[in-house]
């Protein structure tokens, strides 16, 4: 194909091209005629593309395109657009002489002669491969950063969704003014504020006026400034409710934990709080009730101790006087009977006083004192039953002794155990029925059992039968002298000797108390 040359080449054009050739070292600048043939080639073009001028002049500029671009008609399309609009601009892959490709930023301008007629084209090509690679790397980094931000935002939203369901108050504060970034529903309820009233506001503007400065100074500023967590337990807050003017007192446990940026600087903190008002008030009520109960117990124990001690003096005086009167020979039968009744009454009163003293000792924590020595349970039981027979002439008490009943105990205290159990059996059995007392040796143990027929102990009373101030039934014995301490003292005395006491009670078998004592308690 014959190529047409521009018929007009003005001086200005020659100057322009010479200037471009001299100055544009990093750009390929070359001329193309209207048919696309290369008519000029600058050193920048040789440097970028690799061809010398003598290798390209007169060749169609299609040679500078990769094969696939030539097949797609890209060279012709560029010329058409530049011819129609005066300029084409694009970023296209271009071919070097060695066959390698580079990314080119291309500008193709239409040239006109002095009469305004098109006479050719000027093409400027710049190698932007490195720039494109940098842009692509930046784009990749930006995409990764956006993905990381998106992932972080998704995780934040998940975390906030968990916070929304949390059973405690959670809030996030940002910056030195502690601006509220997040507050879950429970935390907003603590503040008595809606979401729009707290988000984006400094914490001090949300707190009641009377609390704000102290809370910020003690619980917020140190965390942000020093980066140290703060834990507060049962903190009391008293404030005036802003809508009603009501005085409110609340107790909270809360923790403030610093939140740090990647460089380690503190950028805010998270607060976790829970209302413990009900628990504190319940604790306060329990303490008050405990104090009241302790005061009552102390008063009762002191009263019992005082009464039991103070009663002994007049009882001893009455006992001595009546004993002296009983020895007088001139007493008539009626007077002698009266003296015997007084002696019995004094004996019962002394027994009650002794029970009260033992009860007081046991309740005060010192236990009932014992003085162990060699003793025979058979003999102790016989002595007690002799006294019981004298005090209850109309009742039958049977005794059975088996084996060796010797051991190392306090005989006076064992006598008290026997007397309390036998007296209890007489009290809660029909007057016509006998009471069976059995003492027996069983290897390293010695046992005492006291049995009586009659109505059984109600099942609901059995678990507490050995507690103080309890009775086997709701009925009071005919003498009216029981205060419910006998069985409690039995248990205390038996355990002081290292033994056990149990009870069985049924309608068919009656009631049996069984005491088991080790022959020797041993050290400790």
């Amino acid at each position: 194909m014959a190529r047409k040359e521009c018929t007009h080449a003005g001086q200005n054009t020659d100057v322009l091209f010479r200037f471009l050739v001299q100055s544009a070292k990093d750009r390929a600048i070359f001329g193309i005629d209207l048919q696309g043939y290369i008519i000029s080639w600058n050193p920048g073009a040789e440097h970028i593309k690799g061809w010398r001028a003598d290798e390209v002049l007169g060749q169609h500029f299609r040679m500078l395109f990769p094969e696939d671009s030539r097949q797609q008609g890209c060279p012709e399309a560029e010329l058409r657009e530049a011819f129609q609009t005066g300029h084409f601009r694009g970023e296209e892959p271009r071919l070097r002489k060695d066959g390698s490709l580079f990314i080119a930023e291309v500008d193709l301008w239409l040239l006109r002669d002095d009469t305004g007629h098109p006479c050719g084209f000027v093409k400027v090509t710049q190698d932007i491969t490195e720039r494109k690679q940098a842009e692509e790397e930046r784009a990749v980094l930006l995409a990764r950063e956006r993905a990381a931000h998106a992932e972080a935002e998704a995780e934040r939203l998940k975390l906030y969704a968990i916070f929304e369901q949390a059973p405690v108050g959670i809030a996030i504060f940002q910056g030195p003014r502690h601006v509220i970034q997040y507050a879950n529903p429970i935390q907003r309820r603590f503040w008595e504020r809606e979401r729009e009233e707290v988000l984006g506001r400094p914490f001090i503007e949300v707190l009641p006026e009377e609390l704000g400065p102290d809370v910020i100074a003690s619980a917020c500023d140190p965390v942000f400034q020093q980066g140290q967590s703060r834990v507060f337990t049962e903190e009391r807050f008293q404030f005036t409710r802003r809508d009603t003017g009501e005085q409110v007192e609340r107790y909270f446990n809360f923790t403030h934990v610093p939140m740090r940026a990647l460089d380690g600087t503190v950028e805010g903190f998270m607060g976790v709080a829970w209302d413990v008002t009900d628990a504190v008030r319940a604790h306060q009520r329990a303490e008050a009730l405990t104090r009241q109960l302790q005061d009552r117990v102390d008063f009762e124990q002191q009263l019992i101790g005082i009464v039991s001690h103070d009663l002994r003096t007049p009882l001893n005086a009455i006992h001595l006087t009546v004993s002296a009167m009983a020895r007088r020979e001139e007493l008539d039968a009626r007077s002698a009977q009266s003296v015997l009744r007084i002696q019995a009454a004094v004996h019962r009163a002394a027994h009650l006083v002794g029970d009260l003293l033992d009860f007081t000792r046991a309740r005060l924590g010192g236990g009932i004192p014992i003085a162990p020595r060699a003793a025979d349970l058979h003999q102790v039981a016989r002595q007690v039953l002799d006294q019981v027979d004298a005090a209850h002439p109309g009742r039958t008490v049977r005794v059975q002794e088996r084996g060796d009943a010797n051991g190392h105990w306090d005989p006076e205290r064992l006598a008290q155990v026997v007397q309390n159990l036998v007296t209890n059996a007489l009290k809660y059995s029909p007057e016509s029925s006998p009471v069976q007392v059995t003492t027996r040796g069983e290897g390293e143990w010695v046992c005492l059992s006291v049995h009586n027929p009659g109505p059984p102990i109600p099942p609901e009373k059995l678990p507490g039968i050995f507690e103080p101030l309890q009775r086997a039934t709701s009925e009071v014995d005919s003498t009216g002298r029981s205060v419910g301490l006998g069985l409690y003292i039995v248990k205390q005395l038996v355990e002081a000797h290292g033994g056990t006491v149990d009870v069985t009670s049924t309608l068919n078998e009656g009631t049996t108390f069984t005491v088991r004592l080790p022959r020797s308690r041993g050290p400790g």
Side-chain angles (χ1 to χ4, degrees), residues 320 322-329 331:
L320 292 173
V322 172
S323 297
M325 292 176 61
R327 290 193 295 270
R328 294 176 61 178
E329 297 181 356
L331 286 178

Side-chain angles (χ1 to χ4, degrees), residues 64-66 68-69 78 91-95 101-104 106:
L64 306 177
F65 287 76
D68 56 346
S69 296
E78 288 185 9
E91 293 180 0
E92 303 283 347
R94 289 294 185 266
L95 187 66
L101 298 178
F102 67 96
I103 303 299
V106 176

Side-chain angles (χ1 to χ4, degrees), residues 351 388 392 395 416-430 435 450-453 457 465-466 470-473 475 477 481-482 484-488 490 503 511-513:
H351 183 77
V388 171
H392 300 81
R395 298 299 303 270
Q416 192 174 352
V417 170
V418 176
Q419 183 176 27
N420 283 1
L421 290 178
V422 173
T423 302
N424 184 77
L426 292 170
K427 180 168 53 177
Y428 293 110
S429 61
V435 170
V450 179
H451 171 267
N452 65 273
I457 301 171
I465 194 68
F466 293 105
Q470 300 292 321
R471 295 189 178 91
T473 70
E475 300 177 358
D477 63 298
R481 68 178 180 85
S482 173
L485 295 177
L487 295 180
Y488 171 76
V490 165
V503 59
T511 300
T512 302
F513 285 87

Side-chain angles (χ1 to χ4, degrees), residues 159-170:
L159 189 62
Y160 283 2
I162 295 173
F163 288 170
E164 291 290 304
Q165 305 300 320
V168 296
I170 300 175

Side-chain angles (χ1 to χ4, degrees), residues 351 358 368-376 380 383-384 387 409-420 489 493 497:
H351 183 77
D358 289 339
I368 301 176
I370 60 173
R373 59 183 184 273
D376 183 347
V380 170
Q383 291 174 349
V384 171
Q387 298 172 6
W409 313 296
D410 186 330
E412 285 77 17
R413 289 301 189 180
L414 285 190
Q416 192 174 352
V417 170
V418 176
Q419 183 176 27
N420 283 1
I489 291 172
L493 290 174
H497 284 86

Side-chain angles (χ1 to χ4, degrees), residues 137-178:
E137 289 175 358
R138 285 196 298 271
V140 170
L141 292 176
L142 181 60
R144 290 177 180 174
E145 182 179 358
R146 288 173 177 170
H149 280 300
E151 184 178 357
E153 180 65 12
E155 292 300 320
R156 184 181 69 85
L157 294 177
K158 289 180 183 178
L159 189 62
Y160 283 2
I162 295 173
F163 288 170
E164 291 290 304
Q165 305 300 320
V168 296
I170 300 175
I172 296 175
F173 305 87
Q174 194 80 18
R177 299 185 66 202
H178 318 307

Side-chain angles (χ1 to χ4, degrees), residues 203-481:
F203 191 24
I204 196 168
E205 296 180 6
V206 174
L207 291 167
E209 292 182 2
E210 58 265 53
L211 297 179
D214 288 341
V215 171
I216 296 298
S218 64
C220 301
D221 285 344
V223 179
F224 183 80
Q225 296 168 0
Q226 303 170 15
Q228 296 179 350
S229 300
R230 299 295 298 275
V231 179
F232 299 84
T233 303
E234 294 184 3
E235 284 290 306
R236 177 178 176 268
F237 295 97
Q238 189 171 16
F239 57 93
T240 302
R241 187 165 275 139
R242 59 193 179 112
D243 51 352
T244 64
E246 175 189 0
Q247 288 290 321
V248 180
E249 181 186 62
R250 309 291 290 175
Y251 291 84
F252 288 93
N253 291 348
F254 62 96
T255 300
H256 286 172
V257 179
M259 299 176 63
R260 299 181 182 274
L262 294 178
D263 61 1
T265 58
V266 178
E267 58 183 7
F269 65 91
M270 174 184 287
V272 179
W274 56 101
D275 190 337
V276 293
T277 302
D278 292 341
V280 170
R281 289 176 178 166
H283 180 64
Q284 291 172 343
R285 289 193 296 268
E287 285 185 341
L289 181 59
T290 300
R291 286 194 299 270
Q292 293 174 2
L293 292 175
Q294 187 60 50
D295 290 344
R296 180 178 175 182
V297 169
D298 291 344
F299 172 75
E300 291 176 350
Q301 291 180 349
Q302 291 171 6
L303 180 62
I304 291 174
I306 292 171
V307 170
S308 60
H309 278 91
D310 290 351
L311 279 176
R312 281 201 159 187
T313 299
L315 285 176
N316 286 336
I318 295 172
H319 175 69
L320 292 173
T321 302
V322 172
S323 297
M325 292 176 61
R327 290 193 295 270
R328 294 176 61 178
E329 297 181 356
E330 64 272 18
L331 286 178
D332 55 29
R334 184 174 181 179
S335 297
Q337 188 66 32
S338 298
V339 168
L340 290 177
R341 284 197 297 269
I342 294 173
Q343 283 181 321
V346 170
H347 177 75
R348 287 194 298 270
H351 183 77
L352 288 175
V353 169
D355 283 351
L356 288 172
L357 279 173
D358 289 339
F359 170 72
T360 303
R361 293 191 188 100
R363 296 287 279 187
L364 288 175
I368 301 176
I370 60 173
R373 59 183 184 273
D376 183 347
L377 185 59
H378 293 328
Q379 182 180 357
V380 170
R382 287 195 297 268
Q383 291 174 349
V384 171
L385 295 181
D386 289 342
Q387 298 172 6
V388 171
D389 285 339
H392 300 81
R395 298 299 303 270
T396 301
V397 179
R398 297 172 181 169
V399 182
Q400 187 177 35
E401 298 176 354
R402 299 178 185 171
D404 179 8
N406 287 292
H408 197 71
W409 313 296
D410 186 330
E412 285 77 17
R413 289 301 189 180
L414 285 190
Q416 192 174 352
V417 170
V418 176
Q419 183 176 27
N420 283 1
L421 290 178
V422 173
T423 302
N424 184 77
L426 292 170
K427 180 168 53 177
Y428 293 110
S429 61
E431 292 195 8
S432 59
S433 63
V435 170
Q436 178 69 49
V437 177
T438 302
T439 55
R440 62 185 182 276
E442 296 180 350
E444 295 300 316
W445 296 82
V446 176
C447 297
L448 164 71
S449 63
V450 179
H451 171 267
N452 65 273
I457 301 171
E460 66 273 11
K461 288 185 175 291
L462 279 174
I465 194 68
F466 293 105
E467 294 300 316
L469 308 179
Q470 300 292 321
R471 295 189 178 91
T473 70
S474 57
E475 300 177 358
V476 181
D477 63 298
S478 58
T479 64
R481 68 178 180 85

